[in-house]
Amino acid sequence: MNQLTKHLSLFALCGLIGLSSYAQKEVPKGWHLLDAKDSGYYGISLEKAYEFVKAKKLKSNAVIVAVIDSGVDTLHEDLKPVLWKNPKEIPGNGIDDDKNGYVDDVYGWNFIGGRDGQNVEKDSYEAARVYHKYKAKFEGKDPSSFKGEEAKEYAMWAKAKGDVASNVEDPTMVMMIRRTVNEFKAADSIVRAELKKEEYTCKDLSTYTTTNKQAAAFRDRFVAICKANDTDEISNKMLLDELEGEVAKIDAADIAPKAFRNDIVKDNYNDFNDRFYGNNNVMVSNSAALHGTHVSGIIGAARGNGLGMDGVADNVRIMTVRAVPDGDEHDKDIALAIRYAVDNGAKVINMSFGKGFSPEKKWVDEAVQYAASKGVLLVHAAGNSAQNLDTSWNFPTPVFENGKRAANWITVGASAPFADIKDGGLTASFSNYGKNEVDVFAPGVKIYSTVPGGNTYQNLQGTSMASPVVAGLAAFILEYYPNLSAEQVKYVIEKSSTKPGQKAYDPGTHEEADFGTLSRSGGIINAYEAIKLASTLKGERPKTVTPKTTVKPKKKA
């Protein structure tokens, strides 16, 4: 999962075509919370929802929302009041007070950290990992000779091989990417020397002048990328990491990816019962925590305190579970992150990440079933590849290997502020979509929220931002109607969504389409309509049925 420019075309990164149209028209901070009829922006009508519960004199109940992500700034002014703190753990004593296997897990847990304090920030891509893992076994072999599990492995490997090969099939593009990286690195060294800063952002470049033509050209292209992302907080490190990630995809055709995770975490990855690894550092660094901090603020940044922005839900506790690097996450970490969140009381889990392959999908499926057995709702970002998920994959998914579907899962596409198709229409140009596989859309363009730095905020965009809008709404519903099941909350959110009944752009074909054909519900979430519908339902707690699992219980000391 690349965290910033992942929805921008690589051509745009290299400066060969125009950038995102969303940078051309301003929107107010917090537009995603507004009412479309009152403001003209297709927000979620949140204030009307709060007026509804206030009129009914309903009392809210605290809801724990787990954010499985890249990390969170636990010192941010707008997040400190809403962070979950493990009530059974004594901070900093080096003892596993609650005996859950994770020492000093005060704010949550970091599943991509080492016991020695090292942490995974950058990682490889799953396609490359799958391709090289099975290359010796399958290269040049007759696919008809494989049966059962081996046949499934071969099919996955063959697809991964195709993905890896696609990154080098255009020699001109490969040459352009390598040249761009080299040019950016050379220019970056000049800018760093002249600014006397090792890490700088577009904000620093706003007053930067130079007589060096190479540095000036780099500055202009860098500023254009920031403008397209509607933020001046992208750093040179983030940008170069993004481009070097593209180089890594090219290199993967011939070179096996470095074992970033295994070198640091040092668990036995193939043994799912070797699960008590990691550390309690849930932030790691500003760059690592950028994505997760932004997501957390969207869900539940303290409301009404006059600082920065307001989250969707007003009585949540954000549990931080770090499992997502800059690159593709690993299935084991995601499966254990889900289980950790469930075991520690989360009722909603936000998952703003995704990848094209899931070699250990069975572990994730079992974790999803475990969450369902405990009445926990999973909210997942649809992805930012402008693909139809009815015909492509973005893992994890609610569809199990046996073909059955999780009922406690919502897949979220990203919507845009404007109804007029001349302004881009209601679909974000980068958003994945699908009449069967995307459940609903939510605002995901130019979303203003918390970022690391203690008191810092900025706009980011992606389905990563749309998913926490839905997770926040789910938490809001459960605050006031705590007896509703995960399935009922899913029903409420989808059934009450606003159906614009107008044309939009199909992100994949770039042609006009009925907005209602791009998701299963055909709508954009509406908090006011959702809470009204929730008020009419009788809470039906699901029966607790623990599914079969390959996880063995922890032995008592």
PDB file of all heavy atoms in Angstrom, residues 414-437:
ATOM      1  N   ALA A 414     -14.923   5.522  -3.280  1.00  0.00           N
ATOM      2  CA  ALA A 414     -14.752   6.938  -2.955  1.00  0.00           C
ATOM      3  C   ALA A 414     -15.587   7.820  -3.874  1.00  0.00           C
ATOM      4  O   ALA A 414     -15.503   7.716  -5.101  1.00  0.00           O
ATOM      5  CB  ALA A 414     -13.284   7.335  -3.044  1.00  0.00           C
ATOM      6  N   SER A 415     -16.360   8.707  -3.254  1.00  0.00           N
ATOM      7  CA  SER A 415     -17.153   9.676  -4.014  1.00  0.00           C
ATOM      8  C   SER A 415     -16.505  11.053  -3.938  1.00  0.00           C
ATOM      9  O   SER A 415     -15.651  11.319  -3.085  1.00  0.00           O
ATOM     10  CB  SER A 415     -18.587   9.730  -3.488  1.00  0.00           C
ATOM     11  OG  SER A 415     -18.624  10.091  -2.114  1.00  0.00           O
ATOM     12  N   ALA A 416     -16.929  11.931  -4.832  1.00  0.00           N
ATOM     13  CA  ALA A 416     -16.368  13.271  -4.959  1.00  0.00           C
ATOM     14  C   ALA A 416     -17.395  14.320  -4.528  1.00  0.00           C
ATOM     15  O   ALA A 416     -18.575  14.006  -4.338  1.00  0.00           O
ATOM     16  CB  ALA A 416     -15.922  13.487  -6.400  1.00  0.00           C
ATOM     17  N   PRO A 417     -16.980  15.570  -4.377  1.00  0.00           N
ATOM     18  CA  PRO A 417     -17.873  16.583  -3.801  1.00  0.00           C
ATOM     19  C   PRO A 417     -19.006  17.038  -4.701  1.00  0.00           C
ATOM     20  O   PRO A 417     -20.046  17.481  -4.207  1.00  0.00           O
ATOM     21  CB  PRO A 417     -16.937  17.768  -3.520  1.00  0.00           C
ATOM     22  CG  PRO A 417     -15.553  17.253  -3.647  1.00  0.00           C
ATOM     23  CD  PRO A 417     -15.625  16.085  -4.572  1.00  0.00           C
ATOM     24  N   PHE A 418     -18.828  16.947  -6.032  1.00  0.00           N
ATOM     25  CA  PHE A 418     -19.720  17.666  -6.917  1.00  0.00           C
ATOM     26  C   PHE A 418     -20.627  16.743  -7.719  1.00  0.00           C
ATOM     27  O   PHE A 418     -20.199  15.714  -8.240  1.00  0.00           O
ATOM     28  CB  PHE A 418     -18.900  18.532  -7.881  1.00  0.00           C
ATOM     29  CG  PHE A 418     -17.927  19.427  -7.182  1.00  0.00           C
ATOM     30  CD1 PHE A 418     -16.562  19.190  -7.280  1.00  0.00           C
ATOM     31  CD2 PHE A 418     -18.369  20.482  -6.408  1.00  0.00           C
ATOM     32  CE1 PHE A 418     -15.652  20.016  -6.631  1.00  0.00           C
ATOM     33  CE2 PHE A 418     -17.462  21.305  -5.749  1.00  0.00           C
ATOM     34  CZ  PHE A 418     -16.105  21.068  -5.859  1.00  0.00           C
ATOM     35  N   ALA A 419     -21.877  17.144  -7.835  1.00  0.00           N
ATOM     36  CA  ALA A 419     -22.835  16.360  -8.598  1.00  0.00           C
ATOM     37  C   ALA A 419     -22.665  16.560 -10.092  1.00  0.00           C
ATOM     38  O   ALA A 419     -22.891  15.640 -10.882  1.00  0.00           O
ATOM     39  CB  ALA A 419     -24.261  16.741  -8.181  1.00  0.00           C
ATOM     40  N   ASP A 420     -22.265  17.755 -10.490  1.00  0.00           N
ATOM     41  CA  ASP A 420     -22.172  18.087 -11.911  1.00  0.00           C
ATOM     42  C   ASP A 420     -21.046  17.290 -12.561  1.00  0.00           C
ATOM     43  O   ASP A 420     -19.892  17.365 -12.128  1.00  0.00           O
ATOM     44  CB  ASP A 420     -21.909  19.583 -12.077  1.00  0.00           C
ATOM     45  CG  ASP A 420     -22.141  20.053 -13.512  1.00  0.00           C
ATOM     46  OD1 ASP A 420     -21.963  19.224 -14.437  1.00  0.00           O
ATOM     47  OD2 ASP A 420     -22.485  21.227 -13.700  1.00  0.00           O
ATOM     48  N   ILE A 421     -21.367  16.554 -13.603  1.00  0.00           N
ATOM     49  CA  ILE A 421     -20.360  15.728 -14.266  1.00  0.00           C
ATOM     50  C   ILE A 421     -19.270  16.587 -14.899  1.00  0.00           C
ATOM     51  O   ILE A 421     -18.139  16.130 -15.098  1.00  0.00           O
ATOM     52  CB  ILE A 421     -21.032  14.806 -15.306  1.00  0.00           C
ATOM     53  CG1 ILE A 421     -20.115  13.623 -15.614  1.00  0.00           C
ATOM     54  CG2 ILE A 421     -21.426  15.572 -16.560  1.00  0.00           C
ATOM     55  CD1 ILE A 421     -20.802  12.488 -16.328  1.00  0.00           C
ATOM     56  N   LYS A 422     -19.562  17.845 -15.177  1.00  0.00           N
ATOM     57  CA  LYS A 422     -18.543  18.747 -15.718  1.00  0.00           C
ATOM     58  C   LYS A 422     -17.459  19.047 -14.697  1.00  0.00           C
ATOM     59  O   LYS A 422     -16.341  19.432 -15.050  1.00  0.00           O
ATOM     60  CB  LYS A 422     -19.189  20.060 -16.189  1.00  0.00           C
ATOM     61  CG  LYS A 422     -20.059  19.912 -17.429  1.00  0.00           C
ATOM     62  CD  LYS A 422     -20.588  21.242 -17.905  1.00  0.00           C
ATOM     63  CE  LYS A 422     -21.591  21.825 -16.914  1.00  0.00           C
ATOM     64  NZ  LYS A 422     -22.228  23.071 -17.423  1.00  0.00           N
ATOM     65  N   ASP A 423     -17.770  18.869 -13.410  1.00  0.00           N
ATOM     66  CA  ASP A 423     -16.792  19.056 -12.346  1.00  0.00           C
ATOM     67  C   ASP A 423     -16.157  17.734 -11.917  1.00  0.00           C
ATOM     68  O   ASP A 423     -15.541  17.636 -10.866  1.00  0.00           O
ATOM     69  CB  ASP A 423     -17.448  19.710 -11.122  1.00  0.00           C
ATOM     70  CG  ASP A 423     -17.870  21.142 -11.397  1.00  0.00           C
ATOM     71  OD1 ASP A 423     -17.123  21.846 -12.108  1.00  0.00           O
ATOM     72  OD2 ASP A 423     -18.932  21.552 -10.914  1.00  0.00           O
ATOM     73  N   GLY A 424     -16.335  16.712 -12.723  1.00  0.00           N
ATOM     74  CA  GLY A 424     -15.760  15.413 -12.408  1.00  0.00           C
ATOM     75  C   GLY A 424     -16.785  14.377 -12.025  1.00  0.00           C
ATOM     76  O   GLY A 424     -16.510  13.184 -12.022  1.00  0.00           O
ATOM     77  N   GLY A 425     -17.978  14.839 -11.647  1.00  0.00           N
ATOM     78  CA  GLY A 425     -19.029  13.906 -11.253  1.00  0.00           C
ATOM     79  C   GLY A 425     -18.827  13.353  -9.862  1.00  0.00           C
ATOM     80  O   GLY A 425     -17.890  13.715  -9.146  1.00  0.00           O
ATOM     81  N   LEU A 426     -19.698  12.455  -9.474  1.00  0.00           N
ATOM     82  CA  LEU A 426     -19.716  11.973  -8.090  1.00  0.00           C
ATOM     83  C   LEU A 426     -18.694  10.882  -7.802  1.00  0.00           C
ATOM     84  O   LEU A 426     -18.433  10.584  -6.636  1.00  0.00           O
ATOM     85  CB  LEU A 426     -21.118  11.463  -7.743  1.00  0.00           C
ATOM     86  CG  LEU A 426     -22.182  12.550  -7.562  1.00  0.00           C
ATOM     87  CD1 LEU A 426     -23.561  11.920  -7.446  1.00  0.00           C
ATOM     88  CD2 LEU A 426     -21.866  13.387  -6.328  1.00  0.00           C
ATOM     89  N   THR A 427     -18.131  10.269  -8.801  1.00  0.00           N
ATOM     90  CA  THR A 427     -17.151   9.221  -8.548  1.00  0.00           C
ATOM     91  C   THR A 427     -15.744   9.806  -8.560  1.00  0.00           C
ATOM     92  O   THR A 427     -15.389  10.580  -9.457  1.00  0.00           O
ATOM     93  CB  THR A 427     -17.222   8.115  -9.621  1.00  0.00           C
ATOM     94  OG1 THR A 427     -17.243   8.720 -10.914  1.00  0.00           O
ATOM     95  CG2 THR A 427     -18.449   7.254  -9.432  1.00  0.00           C
ATOM     96  N   ALA A 428     -14.936   9.417  -7.569  1.00  0.00           N
ATOM     97  CA  ALA A 428     -13.524   9.790  -7.590  1.00  0.00           C
ATOM     98  C   ALA A 428     -12.863   9.051  -8.744  1.00  0.00           C
ATOM     99  O   ALA A 428     -13.092   7.857  -8.942  1.00  0.00           O
ATOM    100  CB  ALA A 428     -12.867   9.412  -6.267  1.00  0.00           C
ATOM    101  N   SER A 429     -12.048   9.750  -9.509  1.00  0.00           N
ATOM    102  CA  SER A 429     -11.482   9.171 -10.731  1.00  0.00           C
ATOM    103  C   SER A 429     -10.615   7.955 -10.465  1.00  0.00           C
ATOM    104  O   SER A 429     -10.427   7.119 -11.342  1.00  0.00           O
ATOM    105  CB  SER A 429     -10.654  10.231 -11.464  1.00  0.00           C
ATOM    106  OG  SER A 429      -9.590  10.685 -10.639  1.00  0.00           O
ATOM    107  N   PHE A 430     -10.088   7.833  -9.254  1.00  0.00           N
ATOM    108  CA  PHE A 430      -9.190   6.730  -8.911  1.00  0.00           C
ATOM    109  C   PHE A 430      -9.906   5.538  -8.298  1.00  0.00           C
ATOM    110  O   PHE A 430      -9.330   4.465  -8.138  1.00  0.00           O
ATOM    111  CB  PHE A 430      -8.125   7.218  -7.927  1.00  0.00           C
ATOM    112  CG  PHE A 430      -8.703   7.938  -6.739  1.00  0.00           C
ATOM    113  CD1 PHE A 430      -9.253   7.248  -5.673  1.00  0.00           C
ATOM    114  CD2 PHE A 430      -8.707   9.324  -6.689  1.00  0.00           C
ATOM    115  CE1 PHE A 430      -9.801   7.903  -4.592  1.00  0.00           C
ATOM    116  CE2 PHE A 430      -9.248  10.002  -5.607  1.00  0.00           C
ATOM    117  CZ  PHE A 430      -9.797   9.288  -4.551  1.00  0.00           C
ATOM    118  N   SER A 431     -11.154   5.694  -7.917  1.00  0.00           N
ATOM    119  CA  SER A 431     -11.821   4.689  -7.082  1.00  0.00           C
ATOM    120  C   SER A 431     -12.120   3.391  -7.823  1.00  0.00           C
ATOM    121  O   SER A 431     -12.596   3.391  -8.960  1.00  0.00           O
ATOM    122  CB  SER A 431     -13.136   5.243  -6.532  1.00  0.00           C
ATOM    123  OG  SER A 431     -13.776   4.283  -5.701  1.00  0.00           O
ATOM    124  N   ASN A 432     -11.879   2.258  -7.158  1.00  0.00           N
ATOM    125  CA  ASN A 432     -12.424   0.991  -7.633  1.00  0.00           C
ATOM    126  C   ASN A 432     -13.936   1.009  -7.454  1.00  0.00           C
ATOM    127  O   ASN A 432     -14.482   1.778  -6.638  1.00  0.00           O
ATOM    128  CB  ASN A 432     -11.818  -0.186  -6.876  1.00  0.00           C
ATOM    129  CG  ASN A 432     -10.371  -0.449  -7.274  1.00  0.00           C
ATOM    130  OD1 ASN A 432      -9.867   0.096  -8.244  1.00  0.00           O
ATOM    131  ND2 ASN A 432      -9.700  -1.288  -6.501  1.00  0.00           N
ATOM    132  N   TYR A 433     -14.623   0.164  -8.178  1.00  0.00           N
ATOM    133  CA  TYR A 433     -16.083   0.163  -8.177  1.00  0.00           C
ATOM    134  C   TYR A 433     -16.553  -1.244  -8.506  1.00  0.00           C
ATOM    135  O   TYR A 433     -15.744  -2.146  -8.733  1.00  0.00           O
ATOM    136  CB  TYR A 433     -16.610   1.179  -9.201  1.00  0.00           C
ATOM    137  CG  TYR A 433     -16.140   0.895 -10.616  1.00  0.00           C
ATOM    138  CD1 TYR A 433     -16.968   0.239 -11.528  1.00  0.00           C
ATOM    139  CD2 TYR A 433     -14.842   1.239 -11.034  1.00  0.00           C
ATOM    140  CE1 TYR A 433     -16.520  -0.046 -12.820  1.00  0.00           C
ATOM    141  CE2 TYR A 433     -14.395   0.954 -12.317  1.00  0.00           C
ATOM    142  CZ  TYR A 433     -15.235   0.306 -13.198  1.00  0.00           C
ATOM    143  OH  TYR A 433     -14.801   0.012 -14.460  1.00  0.00           O
ATOM    144  N   GLY A 434     -17.848  -1.473  -8.547  1.00  0.00           N
ATOM    145  CA  GLY A 434     -18.359  -2.787  -8.903  1.00  0.00           C
ATOM    146  C   GLY A 434     -19.787  -2.979  -8.432  1.00  0.00           C
ATOM    147  O   GLY A 434     -20.077  -2.806  -7.251  1.00  0.00           O
ATOM    148  N   LYS A 435     -20.649  -3.308  -9.337  1.00  0.00           N
ATOM    149  CA  LYS A 435     -22.069  -3.477  -9.032  1.00  0.00           C
ATOM    150  C   LYS A 435     -22.302  -4.564  -7.988  1.00  0.00           C
ATOM    151  O   LYS A 435     -23.244  -4.486  -7.195  1.00  0.00           O
ATOM    152  CB  LYS A 435     -22.836  -3.815 -10.325  1.00  0.00           C
ATOM    153  CG  LYS A 435     -24.333  -4.025 -10.135  1.00  0.00           C
ATOM    154  CD  LYS A 435     -25.031  -2.777  -9.617  1.00  0.00           C
ATOM    155  CE  LYS A 435     -26.525  -2.979  -9.501  1.00  0.00           C
ATOM    156  NZ  LYS A 435     -27.203  -1.826  -8.860  1.00  0.00           N
ATOM    157  N   ASN A 436     -21.431  -5.557  -7.948  1.00  0.00           N
ATOM    158  CA  ASN A 436     -21.596  -6.652  -6.990  1.00  0.00           C
ATOM    159  C   ASN A 436     -20.638  -6.580  -5.812  1.00  0.00           C
ATOM    160  O   ASN A 436     -20.986  -6.987  -4.704  1.00  0.00           O
ATOM    161  CB  ASN A 436     -21.401  -7.999  -7.710  1.00  0.00           C
ATOM    162  CG  ASN A 436     -22.419  -8.230  -8.803  1.00  0.00           C
ATOM    163  OD1 ASN A 436     -23.599  -7.979  -8.624  1.00  0.00           O
ATOM    164  ND2 ASN A 436     -21.959  -8.693  -9.955  1.00  0.00           N
ATOM    165  N   GLU A 437     -19.428  -6.063  -6.029  1.00  0.00           N
ATOM    166  CA  GLU A 437     -18.393  -6.181  -5.006  1.00  0.00           C
ATOM    167  C   GLU A 437     -18.116  -4.906  -4.205  1.00  0.00           C
ATOM    168  O   GLU A 437     -17.438  -4.965  -3.182  1.00  0.00           O
ATOM    169  CB  GLU A 437     -17.093  -6.679  -5.643  1.00  0.00           C
ATOM    170  CG  GLU A 437     -17.205  -8.080  -6.235  1.00  0.00           C
ATOM    171  CD  GLU A 437     -17.617  -9.120  -5.198  1.00  0.00           C
ATOM    172  OE1 GLU A 437     -17.267  -8.963  -4.021  1.00  0.00           O
ATOM    173  OE2 GLU A 437     -18.316 -10.087  -5.577  1.00  0.00           O
TER     174      GLU A 437
END
